[in-house]
Amino acid sequence: MSERMNLFAVVPEGYAAVRTLETYVRSRVEHRVLELIKIRASILNGCSFCLDMHARDALAAGETPLRLMAVAAWSESPLFDERERAALALTDAVTRLGEHGVPDDVWAATRKEWSEEETADLILAIAIINTWNRIAVTTRKRPPAT
């Protein structure tokens, strides 16, 4: 499969708007948690480009390969602390947003571990990686071969 479109080349102003939210989120959410969120959403959305990028970024920042592999089954893994587990559960709920939205138990766990402002930033982080995933999957953006 070849790439369908380079969104940046076609609509640079629109791409820049998405990039602005990405920049905000990077300045507000702990890097380690942010990469876990990005990896988890990318797994759920089947986005190989974003999964590759964020796994590389996380490894470069000192994340362990074992924890990165465990993101796929995070709810069964003892490798994540309660804050990370709450962020990952929220990522699952927002990414798989069903008919009834985010379940109350997921919201309660998130609010137990994260302040109101931190929770708002997590929601934006999850929203933006889902946006990037949808762009990359739709345009068939592929990770580098190496």
Side-chain angles (χ1 to χ4, degrees):
M1 282 190 276
S2 60
E3 187 172 344
R4 289 176 169 161
M5 173 189 299
N6 178 334
L7 206 71
F8 175 72
V10 177
V11 289
E13 288 180 22
Y15 189 91
V18 175
R19 190 84 182 108
T20 297
L21 182 54
E22 174 69 29
T23 300
Y24 170 82
V25 164
R26 285 184 184 193
S27 74
R28 304 287 299 178
V29 178
E30 301 169 31
H31 181 74
R32 186 173 185 163
V33 172
L34 182 58
E35 292 303 333
L36 294 176
I37 287 169
K38 290 177 177 185
I39 290 165
R40 181 61 183 167
S42 298
I43 289 168
L44 295 175
N45 290 322
C47 184
S48 64
F49 179 82
C50 293
L51 183 55
D52 178 83
M53 177 193 324
H54 297 297
R56 289 174 192 257
D57 289 350
L59 287 169
E63 187 58 86
T64 69
L66 183 60
R67 278 176 39 101
L68 290 185
M69 289 184 292
V71 171
W74 70 266
S75 64
E76 302 297 323
S77 174
L79 299 176
F80 304 101
D81 66 28
E82 290 307 309
R83 280 174 63 87
E84 292 166 336
R85 297 176 73 70
L88 289 165
L90 186 63
T91 301
D92 282 8
V94 172
T95 300
R96 294 177 171 157
L97 199 57
E99 181 180 343
H100 301 290
V102 174
D104 290 339
D105 63 327
V106 171
W107 184 258
T110 302
R111 292 296 288 120
K112 179 181 177 200
E113 298 297 328
W114 298 87
S115 73
E116 184 174 44
E117 189 173 335
E118 289 171 327
T119 299
D121 287 334
L122 288 176
I123 292 167
L124 292 175
I126 296 163
I128 196 62
I129 188 56
N130 275 282
T131 299
W132 288 124
N133 287 169
R134 280 150 178 77
I135 290 168
V137 170
T138 302
T139 62
R140 294 185 177 159
K141 182 84 172 156
R142 295 286 169 240
T146 58

